[in-house]
Amino acid sequence: MATTHFDYLIVGGGMVADTAARGIRELDADGSIGILSDDVDEPYTRPALSKKLWTDDEFTWEKVPLGTADDTGADIRLRTRATAIRPEAHEVDADGQTFAYGKLLLATGGHPVPLPIDDRSGGERALTFRTAADYRRLRALSEQVRRIAVVGGGYIGSELAAALVQNGVDTVLIHTGAVLGDAVFPPALAERFEKLFRDAGVEIVGGSKVEGGEADADGIRLTLEGGDEVRADAVVSGLGIEVATDLAEAAELTVDDGIVVDAQLRTSADDVWAAGDVASYPDRLLGRRRVEHVDNANEMGRAVGRNLAGAAEAYTHTPYYYSAVFGIRYEAVGTLDASLDTVEDWVDPDRGVVYYLDEDRVVGVLLWNVEDARDAARAVLGEADTLTRDDLVGRIR
């Protein structure tokens, strides 16, 4: 079996792969970079798939690809799934080929959680949502059918429901909470959040979990706990991802809710790093965590690329995450959990800050239509041990 050697080999073809390749090039202009991707598209901007491509007529498809190969010279192997890594031999197997490496980055991300239904449509009427190909399939369906069900009330599910209804689709959103967003927002804010969807025409089916059903060429039938049914022409799952740690586990790397890395994003194996959705890393403000959002992908990707090329720098960025639906944008740093105590500081009904406290210590900050305040939110988290509740009101404007 022929072996191809790369100075830097990246397993995974998402946004981390793009920014890591760029990080490598900041320090090493000539080293060979290989990217093994099981996607059908070269790296692209993922947030657009559930946001701007649906709502911004000026954001067209040509703005989605990141230009990784042209900008960095990386050799991108599409439709190529890695099946084994051998850290001691510095080798990766993928689709009957062997790739040798000097340094290896695992940026495998995750796989979307499928619905527990009998899909006899061959994926034509029952979709998961993760890739650009998934976007193209859902976009085509949105122009062909009348009614689409979205399952999941988190970031992806809520954004897809908003996107579909704003494109003229009869949309039903099924989620497990009593009120949409009640797992992360204080009660009154969750009520306001859900009202945005109802006012736009989204049918909300709350407090419901899909436990079965079927899909065929004529449409879908979803069976909910309790026996109720939802019928539509198609369904898309927005239930999040299962983290792709199988390669790391088989290679006996340390795994605990993701691939465990140190401050420089090194795994437990020599010359192997991990970054992005799959990496459990020590955040300097918040402790060990794993983050599935674009800011982390971009910043951690660049940092790990530089470290692959010898920088030996700690990753010190605390990432934020965001969503945008129906004209509102919210951003967050840290932990948002509605079971925590909160301090709300509203400038007006449409603009404010919510602080999340664990035993009177701030662990998360929600910025609701508050611009350019992410660094201020990070500063609050950095000073959490010295701040009282009274210090919080008026601190961020």
Side-chain angles (χ1 to χ4, degrees):
M1 183 184 299
T3 299
T4 302
H5 179 273
F6 291 104
D7 297 319
Y8 308 99
L9 182 62
I10 301 171
V11 177
M15 298 186 73
V16 170
D18 171 77
T19 52
R22 297 175 189 276
I24 290 168
R25 285 291 177 249
E26 290 180 14
L27 299 181
D28 185 346
D30 302 315
S32 57
I33 302 172
I35 298 176
L36 307 182
S37 172
D38 61 3
D39 207 332
V40 300
D41 296 282
E42 294 194 4
Y44 46 84
T45 178
R46 195 179 298 275
L49 305 182
S50 59
K51 296 182 179 74
K52 281 193 171 186
L53 282 170
W54 297 89
T55 59
D56 185 348
D57 291 339
E58 295 183 359
F59 193 92
T60 50
W61 185 258
E62 64 269 15
K63 297 179 181 179
V64 175
L66 294 171
T68 311
D70 289 343
D71 293 347
T72 69
D75 181 349
I76 302 176
R77 308 291 181 96
L78 297 176
R79 300 178 177 86
T80 302
R81 181 182 295 274
T83 53
I85 60 176
R86 293 185 295 279
E88 291 186 1
H90 282 56
E91 290 179 342
V92 174
D93 293 337
D95 290 347
Q97 304 176 69
T98 296
F99 296 88
Y101 63 83
K103 305 288 180 63
L104 175 66
L105 169 61
L106 299 179
T108 47
H111 311 295
V113 176
L115 293 169
I117 66 174
D118 178 16
D119 181 12
R120 298 194 294 271
S121 74
E124 293 301 314
R125 294 299 180 104
L127 289 66
T128 54
F129 197 88
R130 178 73 172 170
T131 67
D134 295 334
Y135 162 78
R136 291 191 290 265
R137 290 166 59 209
L138 184 61
R139 191 72 192 228
L141 265 178
S142 73
E143 297 169 357
Q144 296 165 4
V145 305
R146 185 182 68 85
R147 178 174 168 86
I148 296 178
V150 179
V151 180
Y155 290 95
I156 294 298
S158 61
E159 288 176 0
L160 288 178
L164 288 167
V165 78
Q166 289 178 97
N167 282 270
V169 178
D170 181 6
T171 304
V172 53
L173 175 59
I174 304 166
H175 69 99
T176 57
V179 178
L180 186 64
D182 64 358
V184 292
F185 302 139
L189 184 55
E191 293 280 0
R192 288 165 49 194
F193 185 65
E194 181 174 288
K195 188 174 185 296
L196 292 171
F197 289 78
R198 293 191 183 279
D199 289 350
V202 177
E203 178 186 347
I204 303 288
V205 180
S208 301
K209 181 179 180 181
V210 175
E211 65 174 14
E214 58 188 19
D216 57 29
D218 295 322
I220 60 101
R221 176 183 59 81
L222 301 176
T223 304
L224 309 182
E225 284 184 347
D228 290 342
E229 290 187 353
V230 171
R231 293 182 179 269
D233 300 308
V235 61
V236 56
S237 173
L239 294 174
I241 64 169
E242 297 172 343
V243 187
T245 58
D246 50 329
L247 285 173
E249 291 176 22
E252 299 184 344
L253 275 62
T254 302
V255 173
D256 183 8
D257 184 33
I259 303 173
V260 176
V261 298
D262 66 11
Q264 294 184 18
L265 309 175
R266 297 174 298 197
T267 73
S268 57
D270 291 340
D271 296 326
V272 182
W273 284 254
D277 295 353
V278 77
S280 169
Y281 76 99
D283 188 282
R284 70 182 182 89
L285 297 180
L286 301 168
R288 184 162 293 277
R289 61 202 290 109
R290 190 178 58 78
V291 177
E292 298 175 10
H293 293 279
V294 63
D295 182 45
N296 189 56
N298 287 335
E299 297 294 330
M300 187 180 279
R302 175 177 178 266
V304 79
R306 289 176 57 85
N307 284 344
L308 286 166
E313 299 166 342
Y315 178 56
T316 60
H317 179 71
T318 296
Y320 81 99
Y321 42 101
Y322 78 101
S323 186
V325 293
F326 302 122
I328 65 101
R329 177 186 172 99
Y330 65 89
E331 301 176 348
V333 182
T335 299
L336 268 58
D337 183 338
S339 68
L340 296 172
D341 194 10
T342 57
V343 173
E344 300 185 47
D345 183 17
W346 293 94
V347 177
D348 57 53
D350 298 317
R351 183 172 178 268
V353 181
V354 180
Y355 301 92
Y356 293 73
L357 289 77
D358 188 356
E359 297 183 350
D360 280 337
R361 186 179 187 277
V362 180
V363 295
V365 182
L366 170 66
L367 306 168
W368 191 270
N369 281 334
V370 176
E371 298 179 357
D372 301 323
R374 295 189 294 269
D375 285 342
R378 293 185 183 102
V380 167
L381 294 173
E383 300 170 27
D385 289 332
T386 64
L387 296 175
T388 68
R389 290 168 174 265
D390 291 340
D391 293 328
L392 299 175
V393 175
R395 185 180 176 92
I396 298 176
R397 283 288 185 260

